[in-house]
Amino acid sequence: MKKESSFKQGLKVIPLYIVTVVIGTVICAVAYSLYSLCTHMVAGAQVQIFNLKYFLDGVFIFSPAILILSGVLTCAYLIRHPPTSAFPTIVYMIIYAVFWVILMPLNFRLADRFNLTQEEAAASPVQLSDGFFRESGQGHIYYYTSVSDKNVVDGVCIAPSDSQMVYTFSDIQLPGATDFSDPLIKQTVQMPEVLQVLSKWFNSFMVIARTSCTRGTFEWLCFASIGLALLSVVGLRQISKWRIIDLVLVVGVTAGILALNILGYTNSFMDPIKAKVDGMLPTIKNPLLVLLNILICIICLCIGIIVSAKRSRQQAMENELYGVN
């Protein structure tokens, strides 16, 4: 019965992983689409709630991140439902390996093939609406009374001074938008600074992954050593008898591995060490990170094997003590 139960649990890992990836990707793609539409929104204009191009961009941008996070969620499932054998863990490791070897490169190739996730060609500026107060970065408040098709405006300005000086202006050409078409929308929906920092790190990671994928199989395999380190985190899922501690440890180590690799592929305090290791192993792309990822993988898996063997021995002793077959 235990083998059958473990076998069924291992099979449940497959649909759990797939459903998590699909639902997570769709949610992130919808959020990305809505946020992108907000960047082109103008106060008082008709609101568009869906754009297929932005949705597909979101799918290809976020699917790698969701595949990584789904590994953490699968580990959480194994923490919540401890398997009675190694079969569910092996199934999880196979799925994760398939993701790194096949799905992520396929994601980049399809995105490039259909010209997705590429910057849009420069288009005509979005015409702002009149009748709204808008604050500039210098504290000036503008009220546009007339806006032409080319964003040449007339209106009133309130200057940021003790006297609150008010003056009119006419035939002023508005500068081209950089991120948001309408500063009034930007003040409402712009991401908090914490999310902006995380987004910057995420974009850096995706650029590194895409570049490694396009430079050949060997360089991609060197980069995919991150996957080995992330996969091995499953060995930490049963260190403590408290499940919440195991979950925090898995999430923390996963975040640490990603941060370590991002720092290793960008300019950071690791540069002097990377230069020395690169000189010793010139044939490997970024050998320091490859070695660190392999080392993390070995340590985590060894910890998992030792803890699992200790738990099994302890369980056998308890069964013998209490006469449990």
Side-chain angles (χ1 to χ4, degrees), residues 69 72-73 75-76 79 233 245-257:
L69 295 179
V72 175
L73 294 177
C75 284
I79 292 173
V233 174
I245 294 179
D246 290 334
L247 180 60
V248 170
L249 184 62
V250 167
V251 173
V253 173
T254 298
I257 292 171

Side-chain angles (χ1 to χ4, degrees), residues 6-21:
S6 179
F7 180 77
K8 290 182 178 179
Q9 189 179 19
L11 293 181
K12 287 181 180 179
V13 171
I14 300 175
L16 173 67
Y17 194 90
I18 295 174
V19 170
T20 302
V21 169

Side-chain angles (χ1 to χ4, degrees), residues 46-59:
Q46 184 178 2
V47 178
Q48 184 181 2
I49 61 174
F50 182 77
N51 182 288
L52 181 60
K53 168 67 167 58
Y54 292 149
F55 177 80
L56 293 177
D57 281 349
V59 169

